[in-house]
Amino acid sequence: DTGVSQDPRHKITKRGQNVTFRCDPISEHNRLYWYRQTLGQGPEFLTYFQNEAQLEKSRLLSDRFSAERPKGSFSTLEIQRTEQGDSAMYLCASSPTRDNTDTQYFGPGTRLTVL
Amino acid sequence: AQKITQTQPGMFVQEKEAVTLDCTYDTSDQSYGLFWYKQPSSGEMIFLIYQGSYDEQNATEGRYSLNFQKARKSANLVISASQLGDSAMYFCAMREVGGGADGLTFGKGTHLIIQP
């Protein structure tokens, strides 16, 4: 089985630049989630999709953040006008159609450093 | 108030000993799920074990078991016969089904170091 993949694994950018991350979920998983993890903390939920529909967004997702899942397969997370506070690990997870556990399986993450 | 509390920032354990990692949670929902994940230094979150709020038996997965005490709102992870490869961050997480929120809420984690 192919797990969740994320690209790139690392991104270094200058403050004010835009960045885009990609997530490919496990095939046949129709739910896809984005989380952000800062140093010394657990992941924090950002948003999730069921197929191509974005169903929930955290208040953490400021106007500079946008996520898409246009065909219900891969997803992109874009951060515009990056700030140093955006430096974090961005994790993607996927889960199958709701079952009795709805377990989320995570990708390796994209580590963003904003200089 | 924190929804997931992990009170042990770090633990050192001798190889082959059993380990208990503490987790308490706070929710008013009747239906929820509790998860434990392992995060090695590589960064990937690895699913370990799940416990549903209506499950009457404690969950077990190989060397992992979840000590679920609903009245006390605790969901401790027990690792039997610890191995050097168990050294990692461990996160407890909750999904509240009733509230309609599907994102997981994580604790701050416990850094477990297994010593030879």
Side-chain angles (χ1 to χ4, degrees):
Chain A
D1 279 343
T2 303
V4 177
S5 61
Q6 292 187 245
D7 184 68
R9 295 291 305 277
H10 303 273
K11 178 71 177 179
I12 299 173
T13 191
K14 293 182 179 179
R15 188 176 53 187
Q17 298 293 306
N18 299 343
V19 293
T20 300
F21 310 141
R22 175 178 171 128
C23 171
D24 287 87
I26 295 171
S27 60
E28 299 173 0
H29 280 193
N30 61 350
R31 290 189 161 209
L32 186 148
Y33 308 79
W34 285 100
Y35 292 82
R36 180 175 69 187
Q37 184 179 23
T38 53
L39 204 60
Q41 303 294 319
E44 295 173 296
F45 169 74
L46 292 178
T47 188
Y48 102 92
F49 293 84
Q50 172 129 346
N51 299 312
E52 66 275 10
Q54 188 173 17
L55 296 185
E56 188 179 353
K57 290 196 288 187
S58 162
R59 57 179 171 78
L60 293 175
L61 212 66
S62 76
D63 292 345
R64 297 184 296 106
F65 287 68
S66 62
E68 294 183 344
R69 194 183 183 196
K71 297 182 179 178
S73 57
F74 73 90
S75 175
T76 57
L77 178 68
E78 181 183 15
I79 308 174
Q80 296 182 326
R81 305 181 302 282
T82 52
E83 301 173 357
Q84 288 186 326
D86 296 331
S87 295
M89 175 79 90
Y90 290 84
L91 294 163
C92 176
S94 69
S95 69
T97 304
R98 186 185 294 272
D99 59 18
N100 64 331
T101 71
D102 203 24
T103 298
Q104 296 178 25
Y105 297 90
F106 284 79
T110 294
R111 186 171 297 280
L112 173 66
T113 302
V114 181
L115 302 176
Chain B
Q2 288 188 1
K3 290 205 168 187
I4 298 287
T5 302
Q6 294 182 252
T7 57
Q8 305 150 311
M11 287 185 72
F12 289 86
V13 174
Q14 288 296 121
E15 189 180 7
K16 299 181 184 177
E17 290 184 352
V19 183
T20 297
L21 304 181
D22 295 341
C23 173
T24 57
Y25 60 92
D26 182 25
T27 181
S28 56
D29 284 1
Q30 296 300 309
S31 181
Y32 52 89
L34 297 159
F35 302 80
W36 278 92
Y37 286 86
K38 172 184 179 180
Q39 188 176 42
S41 56
S42 59
E44 185 170 352
M45 300 286 285
I46 301 168
F47 166 70
L48 296 178
I49 196 166
Y50 166 85
Q51 180 84 42
S53 57
Y54 293 118
D55 294 341
E56 294 185 351
Q57 302 227 351
N58 287 342
T60 60
E61 289 285 352
R63 292 186 301 113
Y64 304 108
S65 61
L66 200 152
N67 184 0
F68 181 47
Q69 297 187 45
K70 193 170 182 178
R72 296 180 61 184
K73 294 189 175 178
S74 79
N76 298 341
L77 177 70
V78 180
I79 306 174
S80 62
S82 59
Q83 303 171 355
L84 295 178
D86 293 334
S87 295
M89 286 293 295
Y90 288 80
F91 291 95
C92 179
M94 176 174 65
R95 182 173 64 87
E96 295 167 285
V97 178
D102 286 274
L104 295 173
T105 301
F106 285 84
K108 291 189 175 183
T110 295
H111 189 190
L112 176 64
I113 297 174
I114 307 298
Q115 297 176 313

